[in-house]
Amino acid sequence: MTGRLVSISPIDGAALGEVSVDGADAVAAKIAAAAEAFAIWRAVPAPRRGELVRLWGAALRARKDELALMVTRESGKILSEGAGEVQEMIDICDFAVGLSRQLHGLTIASERPEHHLIERWHPLGPVAVISAFNFPVAVFAWNAALALVCGDSVIWKPSEKTPLCAALALDVFRDAVSAFGDAPAGLMQVVQGGADAGAQLVDDPRIALVSATGSTRMGKAVAAAAAKSLKRTLLELGGNAAMIVAPSADLEMAVRAICFSAVGTAGQRCTTLRRLIVHDSIADALLPQLKRAYASLPVGDPRAETTLVGPLIDERAFAAMRAALAQAAADGGVVHGGERVGDGPGWYVRPALVEMPSQTDIVRTETFAPILYVLRYRDFLEAIALLRDVPQGLSSSIFTTDMREAETFLSATGSDCGIANVNTGPSGAEIGGAFGGEKETGGGRESGADTWKAYMRRQTQTVNYGRALPLAQGVRFDV
């Protein structure tokens, strides 16, 4: 990709603006600048690094409305989701500031007298963040805030569908750098472009970690390329979230959770609810409620306060949705909804409910659109088997008031996903918990908990404070 990259709003097809595409030479120069910045930043005390992230959080608070509106205009999210995404950036900054004083290692008992062992964590190196259109700023911040306090420099390659969000987010970060005073040039950079720019970042040996969010196909390509130099990867890939609704479930609460989880962001989240596994005894009571709720969902311009379902990102997404629904019908599914809303610019759709006779290949496939496949079960272990019988393993949930069912769902024989929720939907996550999944979801973790260790290198140090030189395991080597 060369020249200029034009940003097209999914709301109405209007051109929002354009950015310059970084060619191979420009990308190489930014990698070199990131390496130079890392050499300086790694020596800055971690609490001082945390001060920059604190200032970044303050800058985000000051410009939250501006950035949130850009998220809505460029990705099509409704206003509250756009604001929520920027709030995630603020939250991870708060988390990272505290973390900057808690990069703890261990002291380890030694088998040798007058020795001790120390586990110490050091900055890793320049980090490349490759993000997707559906979370155009938050996923970047999950990575960047932690990487910065860990002593790393950051290069961000955003989706070519949301370049203006990245440009504005970088401008907000520059506000923090200005207030900070002495951050090295090249500490945070954006590379604008397509897959070729991302591939160049992955291939360059100076990049120590690649954190990539996107499709499983993309993640496999990143992993294969990174493996050539044994480079670290942190992969957040496809999802196919399921919810089990058990006989004891609170159906009113379940309907609310299903609606947000299945149609929020127009079904374009990796944690979107795509499979509803309902006990046969309550399916006939739940489905009419769900159909009524779906029929009442306001679909339209996401800038309107009353809208709950905005547009798909582009025509390609609409075509994929139509193809999936056609296949589901061919497999014996009964389709409710899924039609296009309006004939003007923008790809607006009515969310679809599809009653399926079984979990077919199309159900096992992630389609990035508001399609919810409904499956019935009779035995709880059958429901668990359905939940697990997909290639992806990101998020899952169960609605039940039966303690045995809930605990089985959370056990090693229950959900095989990285995220498992009880009596709440699978979509959405708090920054305090590590975010990520298993199987073809990639296995990486972003955001909270102990994820910071992915951005650092572990070193085991042995200190001998005595006058003898005993060897481990009782080895004798007298010279």
Side-chain angles (χ1 to χ4, degrees):
M1 181 180 289
T2 58
R4 308 289 291 178
L5 179 59
V6 179
S7 173
I8 303 297
S9 175
I11 296 173
D12 53 13
L16 295 174
E18 60 181 41
V19 297
S20 296
V21 171
D22 289 298
D25 290 344
V27 175
K30 289 185 177 182
I31 295 172
E36 292 177 7
F38 170 68
I40 299 170
W41 192 242
R42 66 186 175 183
V44 174
R48 176 65 178 158
R49 300 193 298 248
E51 173 62 10
L52 174 58
V53 176
R54 186 192 70 79
L55 292 168
W56 187 18
L60 285 165
R61 284 180 170 87
R63 299 178 67 178
K64 179 179 178 179
D65 292 346
E66 178 188 4
L67 184 53
L69 181 58
M70 180 58 77
V71 169
T72 291
R73 294 174 67 200
E74 197 169 38
S75 74
K77 286 188 172 184
I78 63 174
L79 291 173
S80 66
E81 287 193 72
E85 183 163 349
V86 181
Q87 186 61 48
E88 281 193 68
M89 300 177 76
I90 294 168
D91 292 346
I92 196 63
C93 285
D94 288 350
F95 180 92
V97 172
L99 179 65
S100 69
R101 294 180 182 270
Q102 300 180 76
L103 301 175
H104 297 153
L106 302 173
T107 57
I108 305 164
S110 173
E111 66 185 68
R112 289 168 284 181
E114 299 184 307
H115 283 61
H116 66 79
L117 279 64
I118 303 169
E119 174 193 82
R120 192 171 181 184
W121 294 87
H122 292 300
L124 180 65
V127 172
V129 179
I130 301 173
S131 62
F133 78 87
N134 60 327
F135 278 86
V137 292
V139 171
F140 148 69
W142 288 357
N143 286 275
L146 298 188
L148 287 171
V149 299
C150 289
D152 304 329
S153 55
V154 178
I155 300 180
W156 177 23
K157 210 298 284 183
S159 169
E160 54 268 40
K161 296 176 182 179
T162 53
L164 300 184
C165 284
L168 182 55
L170 181 63
D171 191 60
V172 175
F173 181 77
R174 287 175 178 148
D175 291 347
V177 169
S178 178
F180 184 76
D182 59 351
L187 183 60
M188 178 80 74
Q189 300 172 89
V190 170
V191 166
Q192 299 280 13
D196 53 341
Q200 186 175 347
L201 291 171
V202 176
D203 289 340
D204 196 290
R206 292 169 291 186
I207 298 296
L209 167 69
V210 177
S211 177
T213 301
S215 68
T216 297
R217 177 190 56 78
M218 180 275 287
K220 289 180 177 179
V222 169
K228 295 175 184 177
S229 59
L230 299 180
K231 176 176 302 179
R232 288 195 201 179
T233 59
L234 197 166
L235 303 176
E236 299 290 353
L237 310 176
N240 195 343
M243 177 192 293
I244 297 171
V245 184
S248 65
D250 181 327
L251 293 189
E252 181 181 352
M253 190 162 65
V255 168
R256 292 174 57 203
I258 291 164
C259 286
F260 171 72
S261 299
V263 308
T265 322
Q268 299 171 117
R269 290 185 177 214
C270 52
T271 56
T272 290
L273 176 61
R274 308 200 183 281
R275 297 176 296 138
L276 187 64
I277 304 170
V278 187
H279 194 272
D280 195 55
S281 66
I282 59 169
D284 290 337
L286 176 62
L287 283 173
Q289 296 182 46
L290 206 50
K291 290 173 185 177
R292 286 193 296 271
Y294 263 50
S296 70
L297 291 169
V299 178
D301 191 324
R303 295 168 296 188
E305 291 284 353
T306 56
T307 296
L308 293 180
V309 185
L312 294 173
I313 191 65
D314 54 25
E315 183 177 4
R316 183 178 177 183
F318 175 74
M321 179 177 180
R322 297 305 303 163
L325 291 176
Q327 184 59 58
D331 292 342
V334 179
V335 179
H336 308 278
E339 68 276 5
R340 187 176 180 188
V341 176
D343 56 4
W347 296 94
Y348 296 87
V349 295
R350 177 66 55 188
L353 280 170
V354 187
E355 298 180 67
M356 294 297 294
S358 63
Q359 188 155 264
T360 61
D361 286 345
I362 193 61
V363 179
R364 294 186 181 93
T365 302
E366 180 186 39
T367 301
F368 230 49
I371 301 174
L372 179 60
Y373 300 108
V374 183
L375 303 161
R376 297 186 182 215
Y377 78 95
R378 293 185 178 181
D379 177 75
F380 183 66
L381 295 183
E382 176 192 358
I384 293 292
L386 284 169
L387 183 146
R388 295 169 68 108
D389 185 27
V390 294
Q392 311 87 354
L394 177 54
S395 191
S396 59
S397 71
I398 186 172
F399 269 78
T400 182
T401 55
D402 184 316
M403 182 188 72
R404 291 192 178 103
E405 288 182 336
E407 291 296 335
T408 299
F409 174 79
L410 297 174
S411 74
T413 61
S415 171
D416 59 353
C417 297
I419 300 169
N421 298 332
V422 176
N423 292 329
T424 188
S427 187
E430 297 183 36
I431 59 90
F435 181 91
E438 304 299 329
K439 302 189 291 188
E440 288 195 354
T441 298
R445 294 295 185 272
E446 293 176 323
S447 196
D450 62 349
T451 301
W452 60 271
K453 294 179 179 179
Y455 305 89
M456 303 194 82
R457 59 181 177 88
R458 184 200 310 249
Q459 185 176 80
T460 301
Q461 303 172 345
T462 303
V463 177
N464 177 0
Y465 56 91
R467 296 181 180 277
L469 192 67
L471 301 179
Q473 292 86 47
V475 173
R476 296 186 65 181
F477 197 86
D478 298 325
V479 178

